[in-house]
Amino acid sequence: MRQTATKRTGRRARGESKPHRIPVIEKMVEILNLMEGQPDGLTISEILAATDQPRSTVYRILNTLRAHGYIAPGNSNANYRLGARLVSLAQQVRIDESENSLVETAQPIMEKLAVDTNETCKLSIVDGTSVRVLYVELSPSGIAPTSRVGTILPMHAGASSKVLLAWASPQVLDTLLAGGLSAYTKQTMIESGQLRSELEAIRGQGIAYDRGEWNENIHAIAVPVRDHRGLVIASMSVVFFSSLPPEERETCEAALLAAADRLNRMLGWAGAEVARQAG
């Protein structure tokens, strides 16, 4: 099971460039990548320390990027952060959202999520009036709930299922309710009013919790995955045993939210970033 690196372990020597690439653009991309995940921005000193580029080169790159809107002042005039122009460019990206492409995009993010949480992580999609597990990244510890790709699950029980049902068309919910809902544990929601209220809360909070609805010993947290239009196309979840302490659940939730945000951005959905920069 691979673990993704969280730090850069070495730098290319000054003046050294890869064949058929333009060194100054390589340096510009390095600076943009460095600013990713830094909403408050970075100072020039921080950029210089991280990139080991000449001060004059960094100044010219920053001035050029700012002139074109690709970076902007951070929380102080001494800081720089990614600019709104990148948001408008991202909205024009059209990623192939086939299942294979979605898995390929999500895989490295979910590998890191499994390492960060030490729990099993799943990517699920709608399959008719059910939910299908599309991708699984097992816990690196080996002591965690397991799941299999291709597993079909009910749409009203479980965190991932409820996320997908919350953003499904009203007709899907009506169809499920008309056919009657099965109770798998005492926690399974089978009453129309209770389930509708739960789905409304999920849409409002952007997150779903499973406290033993499918299996009393297994709990989960799930969030939506959105495409470039903002449509929910999948759910990402962290699955763990019911005995997991509250503080570790909070760690899982924070890591899941960060992972989903990264995947959504890679799929072209800027989300709250659009509103923040527009304001």
Side-chain angles (χ1 to χ4, degrees):
M1 193 171 299
R2 296 197 308 270
Q3 295 187 10
T4 55
T6 57
K7 280 187 188 177
R8 216 176 265 156
T9 56
R11 297 189 183 99
R12 186 173 297 274
R14 249 184 232 176
E16 183 183 351
S17 62
K18 295 181 180 180
H20 311 299
R21 296 189 182 181
I22 302 174
V24 69
I25 295 180
E26 291 274 358
K27 294 174 182 177
M28 178 190 71
V29 171
E30 183 181 7
I31 291 175
L32 290 173
N33 288 338
L34 187 65
M35 290 182 179
E36 183 180 7
Q38 302 290 336
D40 294 329
L42 295 170
T43 65
I44 291 180
S45 296
E46 290 171 329
I47 296 171
L48 288 170
T51 62
D52 197 29
Q53 295 182 23
R55 179 178 293 269
S56 59
T57 300
V58 170
Y59 270 111
R60 287 197 298 268
I61 290 174
L62 292 175
N63 287 337
T64 301
L65 290 172
R66 184 172 181 180
H68 291 279
Y70 292 102
I71 63 172
N75 59 1
S76 73
N77 288 333
N79 286 21
Y80 291 92
R81 60 172 175 81
L82 296 178
R85 175 63 178 143
L86 291 172
V87 177
S88 64
L89 284 179
Q91 289 177 311
Q92 305 306 313
V93 176
R94 296 295 179 264
I95 294 179
D96 177 7
E97 288 151 7
S98 67
E99 293 180 11
N100 288 340
S101 179
L102 179 58
V103 168
E104 183 179 349
T105 305
Q107 184 174 353
I109 295 173
M110 295 186 65
E111 286 176 350
K112 183 179 186 303
L113 178 61
V115 171
D116 290 344
T117 62
N118 211 32
E119 301 291 349
T120 294
C121 306
K122 298 192 305 181
L123 189 69
S124 305
I125 60 173
V126 172
D127 192 331
T129 54
S130 299
V131 168
R132 174 161 50 91
V133 178
L134 183 63
Y135 176 75
V136 176
E137 186 65 36
L138 295 175
S139 165
S141 72
I143 307 174
T146 60
S147 184
R148 292 184 179 180
V149 171
T151 299
I152 301 296
L153 299 168
M155 211 168 186
H156 67 287
S160 281
S161 295
K162 290 187 297 183
V163 163
L164 294 171
L165 183 56
W167 275 278
S169 68
Q171 291 76 16
V172 173
L173 177 58
D174 292 340
T175 299
L176 290 174
L177 292 172
L181 302 177
S182 299
Y184 303 99
T185 72
K186 294 179 180 179
Q187 302 300 323
T188 309
M189 299 180 192
I190 59 174
E191 297 295 331
S192 173
Q194 183 186 25
L195 183 57
R196 290 183 188 275
S197 295
E198 173 77 355
L199 298 177
E200 183 177 355
I202 292 170
R203 286 189 292 269
Q205 298 170 4
I207 191 167
Y209 302 93
D210 171 10
R211 299 178 177 88
E213 299 167 12
W214 173 249
N215 182 320
E216 291 181 349
N217 297 316
I218 297 176
H219 291 193
I221 309 170
V223 293
V225 174
R226 299 177 183 272
D227 66 7
H228 64 276
R229 301 159 294 181
L231 300 179
V232 174
I233 58 172
S235 62
M236 182 188 293
S237 61
V238 177
V239 186
F240 45 84
F241 287 121
S242 58
S243 57
L244 191 71
E247 61 273 15
E248 294 186 33
R249 295 182 185 225
E250 292 177 3
T251 299
C252 288
E253 181 172 327
L256 174 62
L257 289 168
D261 180 68
R262 181 168 179 79
L263 178 56
N264 289 339
R265 290 171 186 270
M266 291 186 70
L267 293 173
W269 172 241
E273 182 69 12
V274 174
R276 184 178 73 82
Q277 294 202 9

